[in-house]
Amino acid sequence: MRVFIAGADGYLGWTLAQHLARKGHVIGGADALLRRGWVEEMGSVSAIPIVPVDERLAAFGEHFGEPLRFLELNLCDHAALCVALAEFQPDVVVHLAECPSAPYSMMDFPHADFVQRNNVSGTLSLLFAMRDHCPKAHLVKLGTMGEYGTPNLDIPEGFFEVEYRGRRDRLPFPRQAGSWYHWSKVFDSHHVDFACRLWGLRATDVMQGVVYGTWCDTDMRLNTRLDFDEAFGTALNRFCCQAVIGQPLMPYGKGTQLRGFLSLADSMQCLTLAIENPAAAGEYRVFNQLREVLSINDLAQLVRAAGQDFGLAVEIKLQNNPRVEAEAHHYRPDSQHLRALGFEPSLPIDEVVRNMIADLLPHRDRIADHAERLAPTVRWRTS
Ligand SMILES: NC(=O)c1ccc[n+]([C@@H]2O[C@H](COP(=O)([O-])OP(=O)(O)OC[C@H]3O[C@@H](n4cnc5c(N)ncnc54)[C@H](O)[C@@H]3O)[C@@H](O)[C@H]2O)c1
């Protein structure tokens, strides 16, 4: 298949390009290289060193034979995006090109405004470009489990049957996002659903859990980034970085918050299943993409146990919660659709965590040099 990856320079995108190329797909891609600048703005670096994009592309050509047809392009530049899609003629467009950070969006008005414009306008621009230049292509759009929030009900995959005043309907399950970033993803979901009904586009909206894991190669040009700063480091990735530099792990609040998680390898497997099993014309389908539901304290304990195998003494210190979120709550999301397509979870989480620590230990000095960037400073409520 011809797969166009928007966000091909990111944590998931760079990994996905390699994973799909290895399976024989032809890869095109675009990225405005914004993530590199955001992490710099946070005063941090990727724990796993990464090279400039031109070096990445050279390595890609050498390892996979076919080049990655890459454009440095912002999705909000609609004219340029139209040309890119018209030329590449994708069978599948994977849309990863958004700002993925809740804390970044909660910093102040300019950051909230930027995240919403970047994500919502970028998605609209892509939907119109697909309508006009590749209307038969399948859109695989990355949403997040965070769109649902933590309702006191089980969470279905996108839609649920509801009875109200004696009438029944199948409706989108309510979204109760917890940051300006997560709300941008909610708006996207409604826009993608509407475009499918309006123009007959086909789309899979992936409500993804939090992803953890490194992707390292003997050719380090193929490494994907792994961030640990308070805005762009996800919980388990951050905890592993804290463990290797001897900083206490910092669960927020009581640490009893429950979330869905999956490894980077499992995320690649799931996205590939979605790509290779497209939605029908006009269909908008939603997949909840997660492997396990765990609490933040569970993650900390997993990292402590894995750290011990490497002789690391890992301390855990609860922090005042900078976020506004429920700490004791029901959480039971469905995730049957991907399993029905053949998703079989790969390595168990404790093994992945051990592999992460092994990959991160050689880079402990670069993490230690930015150790102060791990502590939370962005507060959801300022008073
Ligand atoms: N990593 C996770 O744990 C996770 C969990 C759930 C959902 N997601 C979603 O998956 C997607 C990818 O996440 P990631 O962790 O790889 O993030 P990432 O920031 O590493 O990747 C996104 C890439 O898109 C690029 N980009 C952003 N806005 C762009 C624009 N307007 N035009 C062109 N390029 C742009 C960035 O430069 C970056 O390289 C995001 O949509 C995110 O919301 C990620």
Side-chain angles (χ1 to χ4, degrees):
M1 286 176 154
R2 297 178 67 77
V3 185
F4 185 90
I5 303 176
D9 189 51
Y11 173 61
L12 299 179
W14 181 236
T15 316
L16 185 65
Q18 296 173 52
H19 181 77
L20 292 174
R22 207 160 274 146
K23 294 196 86 211
H25 296 292
V26 176
I27 314 298
D31 200 300
L33 309 183
L34 300 173
R35 171 70 173 246
R36 293 172 184 253
W38 296 328
V39 173
E40 210 178 303
E41 182 189 339
M42 296 309 295
S44 194
V45 293
S46 167
I48 303 288
I50 58 167
V51 295
V53 72
D54 52 334
E55 292 178 37
R56 280 187 155 182
L57 295 171
F60 191 98
E62 288 166 31
H63 286 271
F64 302 109
E66 284 268 339
L68 195 170
R69 295 156 178 82
F70 178 83
L71 291 165
E72 188 175 331
L73 177 157
N74 193 312
L75 257 52
C76 299
D77 181 347
H78 185 64
L81 180 61
C82 286
V83 172
L85 291 185
E87 282 179 359
F88 187 72
Q89 281 303 308
D91 301 305
V92 186
V93 176
V94 185
H95 177 16
L96 307 161
E98 302 200 307
C99 180
S101 169
Y104 192 79
S105 75
M106 298 299 286
M107 282 163 70
D108 50 25
F109 169 69
H111 286 85
D113 186 45
F114 169 77
V115 170
Q116 296 238 342
R117 282 172 195 263
N118 184 67
N119 294 358
V120 179
S121 295
T123 299
L124 263 184
S125 169
L126 179 63
L127 289 169
F128 275 81
M130 287 183 70
R131 179 197 69 173
D132 293 340
H133 300 286
C134 52
K136 294 202 167 78
H138 173 211
L139 172 63
V140 176
K141 161 75 172 69
L142 263 287
T144 154
M145 284 300 297
E147 292 183 32
Y148 298 118
T150 53
N152 198 30
L153 295 176
D154 293 359
I155 300 174
E157 302 199 55
F159 292 86
F160 72 149
E161 289 280 333
V162 61
E163 187 174 327
Y164 179 64
R165 294 185 179 166
R167 300 183 66 81
R168 294 190 69 79
D169 205 350
R170 178 177 178 269
L171 293 176
F173 190 72
R175 304 307 207 255
Q176 302 185 79
S179 75
W180 300 119
Y181 152 67
H182 287 100
W183 279 112
S184 76
K185 307 292 273 189
V186 174
F187 301 143
D188 285 345
S189 286
H190 292 309
H191 289 171
V192 175
D193 180 11
F194 182 55
C196 290
R197 280 184 281 129
L198 193 61
W199 303 322
L201 295 186
R202 62 184 87 217
T204 304
D205 203 353
V206 177
M207 302 298 123
Q208 181 169 246
V210 185
V211 182
Y212 54 86
T214 44
W215 178 277
C216 296
D217 195 281
T218 45
D219 181 345
M220 65 79 68
R221 296 174 300 169
L222 296 178
N223 290 351
T224 204
R225 61 181 313 123
L226 186 130
D227 294 299
F228 55 89
D229 63 277
E230 64 164 316
F232 292 96
T234 50
L236 189 47
N237 288 357
R238 227 173 42 238
F239 287 171
C240 288
C241 291
Q242 290 179 310
V244 302
I245 61 166
Q247 188 182 82
L249 316 188
M250 299 172 182
Y252 298 163
K254 296 191 179 74
T256 46
Q257 304 89 320
L258 296 167
R259 296 289 183 271
F261 296 91
L262 77 167
S263 70
L264 185 55
D266 283 343
S267 170
M268 295 302 106
Q269 190 196 148
C270 289
L271 291 176
T272 304
L273 284 167
I275 288 164
E276 292 178 348
N277 296 277
E283 184 186 8
Y284 168 78
R285 63 181 187 182
V286 179
F287 290 175
N288 292 349
Q289 180 168 301
L290 62 142
R291 172 185 184 162
E292 57 247 319
V293 171
L294 294 168
S295 73
I296 303 300
N297 286 335
D298 293 334
L299 302 186
Q301 294 299 342
L302 275 162
V303 173
R304 170 142 70 187
Q308 273 163 2
D309 296 348
F310 292 86
L312 301 170
V314 180
E315 237 191 290
I316 300 172
K317 252 195 192 156
L318 298 179
Q319 299 286 305
N320 283 338
N321 197 338
R323 305 182 175 209
V324 175
E325 63 184 359
E327 293 184 7
H329 58 91
H330 177 77
Y331 199 66
R332 200 164 63 184
D334 292 349
S335 55
Q336 294 313 312
H337 291 347
L338 280 158
R339 286 173 199 259
L341 288 178
F343 169 48
E344 286 187 10
S346 50
L347 285 186
I349 188 166
D350 52 340
E351 273 187 54
V352 179
V353 171
R354 269 196 296 278
N355 292 344
M356 289 171 71
I357 292 180
D359 285 341
L360 288 165
L361 273 170
H363 307 297
R364 69 199 313 172
D365 289 349
R366 86 195 244 116
I367 304 168
D369 285 347
H370 301 85
E372 78 287 357
R373 300 312 306 140
L374 280 143
T377 60
V378 179
R379 316 238 153 241
W380 264 224
R381 221 180 248 140
T382 47
S383 56

